[in-house]
Amino acid sequence: MAHILIVEDETSVRAMLRESLAMEGYEVDEAANGREGLAAMETRPADVVVTDIHMPEQEGLQFIKDLRQRYPDTKIVAISGGAPGIKSGCNLELASMFGAHITCAKPVDIDALLMMIRGFEAA
């Protein structure tokens, strides 16, 4: 089973993702922003990273860019619910341009997310 890192500043979303993925048997670590996510990757690199876009400290686009440079084999799923004045689709399009393999709008459809992760494992 893949080791997954969730990088999400919203505690409730992070907890929901962690619980859903752990119930499926995945090893799950978590971080509240991109800076914490990079530290977590240095300690224990993940196979798959699920990251939000808008976060404090280090936002998701820079985090994705840093991940692609430092951990080119790590699969990245970007999630976003948008931000004031910015639609989630714009954020997700940018995330793809920065190197996210898959994007997903919030609220996250857990079944779809699980299918995406299983697709990474099968490849």
Side-chain angles (χ1 to χ4, degrees), residues 48-63:
V48 178
V49 173
V50 178
T51 183
D52 190 16
I53 301 298
H54 291 284
M55 300 178 287
E57 299 289 323
Q58 183 184 29
E59 56 88 29
L61 295 176
Q62 183 62 50
F63 176 59

Side-chain angles (χ1 to χ4, degrees), residues 91-112:
N91 290 330
L92 296 174
E93 186 174 320
L94 286 171
S96 290
M97 293 170 65
F98 275 71
H101 295 88
I102 296 175
T103 61
C104 185
K106 287 182 180 177
V108 176
D109 178 333
I110 291 298
D111 292 330

Side-chain angles (χ1 to χ4, degrees), residues 5 8 10 12-13 17 24 26 28 39 42 54 58 60 62 66 73 78 87-88 97 109 117:
L5 173 63
E8 167 64 62
E10 292 182 52
S12 60
V13 174
L17 291 171
E24 292 294 319
Y26 293 104
V28 182
E42 289 173 12
H54 291 284
Q58 183 184 29
Q62 183 62 50
D66 290 346
D73 294 331
K87 294 181 180 180
S88 65
M97 293 170 65
D109 178 333
I117 293 170

Side-chain angles (χ1 to χ4, degrees), residues 1-4 6 15-28 50 108-119 121:
M1 285 296 225
H3 169 227
I4 300 171
I6 300 165
M16 180 272 300
L17 291 171
R18 180 190 65 242
E19 290 173 23
S20 297
L21 294 168
M23 284 177 48
E24 292 294 319
Y26 293 104
E27 295 179 54
V28 182
V50 178
V108 176
D109 178 333
I110 291 298
D111 292 330
L113 179 62
L114 288 169
M115 283 180 41
M116 292 174 203
I117 293 170
R118 288 182 190 121
E121 292 177 312

Side-chain angles (χ1 to χ4, degrees), residues 38 41 45-49 63-76 98-101 120:
L38 287 175
M41 287 292 288
D47 303 305
V48 178
V49 173
F63 176 59
I64 291 168
K65 183 178 175 186
D66 290 346
L67 277 177
R68 299 296 330 129
Q69 290 174 348
R70 296 180 192 181
Y71 305 94
D73 294 331
T74 299
K75 303 300 183 201
I76 302 170
F98 275 71
H101 295 88
F120 290 145

